């Protein structure tokens, strides 16, 4: 008998039980949660850019990107901004409490295509969360990639995620990290302005670069335009797109985006593939 055939396939709708092992405050409304499997060492292997459906028992289920280091396979890390009922319940979990996890789900950043190229990461707000695993990947396998350029925009200094890490990443060789805020306030000596204003300070080699972008859709429209102005070709620009989700596995149609289902065809798409959709504002 074929043993593999005898093992029933995992039901993608069934969550695995995880426990919260750490909750860290990033900003006044954003927290990073570390989860470890409560079902033994079943592994938490994911690719940078993927997401999970997280069950907050008694409240609901929601899609959240995995923001941790892909090399740390005994845990899953998520950075969550509290914007409504489910996210508020999630960031209010205490150490030891349970969360159901489905996934990892969806497409990932194109690691193979980025090999030997400079990687340009452009993030707005919570959009840095799904890009952080890719930054870890590049820094861990420095010899596989060219330069790393991180351009990050947030509303104000107190909304900047991972502040200590931004400083630490900038200390690596062949790495440039630039952050900007919409409103600086007293004491802020950094850049002020939208994230596209950082391009004039970035040392880019467009013909040998691949860009990965995540943030509000309006920001991604301006950033993709600027990347093309800088000389990047459309097929070397990748974006992560969000929509409301229910099933997370291509069954319900909730996340439809033109001909695509974001949960299974995305969330990471090449700009070439979704350009007509991104340029239509009301989709
Ligand atoms: C693939 C994917 C990955 C995501 N990754 C993250 C992540 O890493 N961290 C994180 O904090 N959030 C992430 N989100 C968004 C998160 O799923 C929503 O914020 C959450 O579902 C809102 O649920 P709620 O009940 O708290 O708020 P609701 O009461 O449902 O909504 C509160 C407010 O947030 C808005 N909202 C709801 N869903 C979204 C959304 N998807 N995008 C933008 N605004 C929304 C609503 O319009 C409303 O204004 C992701 C979404 C997707 C689709
Ligand atoms: S969330 Fe159900 S099809 Fe994508």
């Amino acid at each position: 008998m074929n043993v593999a055939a005898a093992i029933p396939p995992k039901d993608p709708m069934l969550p695995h039980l995880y426990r919260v092992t750490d909750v860290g405050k990033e900003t006044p409304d954003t927290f990073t949660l570390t989860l470890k499997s409560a079902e033994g060492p079943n592994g938490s292997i994911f690719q940078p850019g993927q997401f999970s459906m997280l069950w907050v028992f008694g409240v609901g289920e929601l899609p959240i990107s995995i923001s941790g280091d892909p090399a740390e396979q005994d845990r899953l890390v998520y950075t969550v901004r509290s914007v409504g009922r489910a996210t508020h319940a999630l960031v209010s979990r205490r150490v030891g409490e349970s969360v159901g996890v489905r996934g990892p789900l969806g497409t990932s950043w194109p690691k193979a295509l980025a090999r030997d190229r400079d990687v340009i990461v452009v993030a707005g707000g919570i959009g840095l969360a799904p890009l952080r695993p890719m930054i870890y990947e590049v820094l861990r396998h420095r010899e596989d990639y060219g330069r790393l350029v991180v351009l990050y925009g947030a509303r104000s200094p107190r909304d900047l995620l991972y502040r200590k890490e931004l400083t630490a990443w900038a200390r690596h060789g062949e790495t440039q990290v630039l952050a900007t805020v919409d409103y600086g306030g007293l004491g802020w000596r950094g850049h002020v302005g939208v994230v596209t204003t950082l391009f004039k300070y970035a040392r880019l080699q467009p013909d040998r670069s691949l860009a990965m972008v995540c943030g509000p859709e309006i920001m991604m429209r301006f950033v993709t335009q600027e990347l093309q102005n800088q000389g990047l070709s459309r097929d070397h620009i990748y974006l992560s797109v969000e929509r409301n989700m229910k099933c997370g596995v291509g069954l319900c149609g909730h996340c439809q985006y033109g001909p695509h289902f974001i949960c299974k065809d995305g969330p990471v798409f090449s700009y070439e593939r979704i350009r007509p959709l991104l340029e239509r504002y009301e989709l």
Side-chain angles (χ1 to χ4, degrees):
M1 188 175 75
N2 179 345
V3 177
I7 300 170
K10 257 196 291 183
D11 183 342
M13 298 304 288
L14 278 183
H16 287 282
L17 197 63
Y18 275 66
R19 283 200 207 294
V20 178
T21 60
D22 189 60
V23 183
K25 188 171 182 172
E26 300 286 352
T27 75
D29 64 1
T30 304
F31 296 78
T32 293
L33 286 86
T34 303
L35 309 186
K36 289 197 176 174
S37 174
E39 298 170 2
N42 65 1
S44 300
I45 298 166
F46 69 97
Q47 292 297 322
Q50 288 192 294
F51 68 99
S52 307
M53 294 299 291
L54 298 184
W55 259 109
V56 190
F57 299 113
V59 181
E61 196 183 28
L62 70 166
I64 298 289
S65 305
I66 306 170
S67 67
D69 186 343
E72 293 179 341
Q73 296 180 356
D74 64 335
R75 70 197 66 184
L76 287 168
V77 176
Y78 303 91
T79 303
V80 184
R81 174 171 290 159
S82 175
V83 294
R85 196 162 166 259
T87 44
H88 179 68
L90 189 55
V91 301
S92 307
R93 295 285 98 169
R94 303 260 170 83
V95 169
E97 289 185 326
S98 306
V99 174
V101 177
R102 288 199 290 127
L105 301 168
T107 55
S108 54
W109 298 112
K111 276 189 331 194
L113 199 59
R115 273 270 140 106
D116 297 325
R117 291 186 162 269
D118 291 2
V119 176
I120 307 171
V121 166
V122 192
I126 192 79
L128 188 55
L131 283 159
R132 188 168 70 156
M134 192 61 213
I135 295 172
Y136 289 139
E137 156 73 23
V138 175
L139 294 177
R140 193 176 289 277
H141 302 282
R142 213 60 205 82
E143 65 290 353
D144 291 342
Y145 301 93
R147 297 187 69 243
L148 171 66
V149 178
V150 179
L151 308 179
Y152 176 40
R155 279 173 303 192
S156 74
R158 63 188 216 141
D159 293 309
L160 286 166
L161 295 180
Y162 318 133
R163 279 186 81 152
K164 283 189 185 147
E165 281 186 277
L166 291 172
T167 311
W169 294 337
R171 288 199 203 104
H172 283 257
E174 296 295 296
T175 303
Q176 187 183 19
V177 179
L178 297 171
T180 184
V181 296
D182 296 341
Y183 316 102
L186 289 174
W188 173 253
R189 295 184 203 290
H191 298 284
V192 176
V194 293
V195 73
T196 44
T197 61
L198 294 176
F199 277 94
K200 58 178 173 286
Y201 307 107
R203 296 186 295 277
L204 303 183
Q205 308 181 87
D207 53 327
R208 50 157 304 169
S209 298
L210 188 135
M212 304 180 188
V213 186
C214 187
E217 262 175 50
I218 180 83
M219 166 262 183
M220 294 205 284
R221 282 187 201 109
F222 283 106
V223 168
T224 47
Q225 190 53 57
E226 184 58 39
L227 286 164
Q228 290 171 90
N229 295 346
Q230 296 282 335
L232 261 89
S233 60
R234 284 179 196 153
D235 55 349
H236 285 101
I237 302 173
Y238 279 73
L239 313 167
S240 183
V241 183
E242 285 185 9
R243 281 294 179 279
N244 286 343
M245 289 186 183
K246 283 272 182 246
C247 73
V249 290
L251 298 175
C252 71
H254 249 81
C255 65
Q256 188 151 11
Y257 187 50
H260 313 293
F261 285 168
I262 288 185
C263 63
K264 77 177 171 57
D265 305 323
V268 176
F269 292 93
S270 75
Y271 176 55
E272 186 69 57
R273 194 159 172 218
I274 56 159
R275 185 171 58 93
L277 301 171
L278 193 71
E279 285 166 4
R280 275 162 46 194
Y281 277 63
E282 298 307 326
L283 215 73

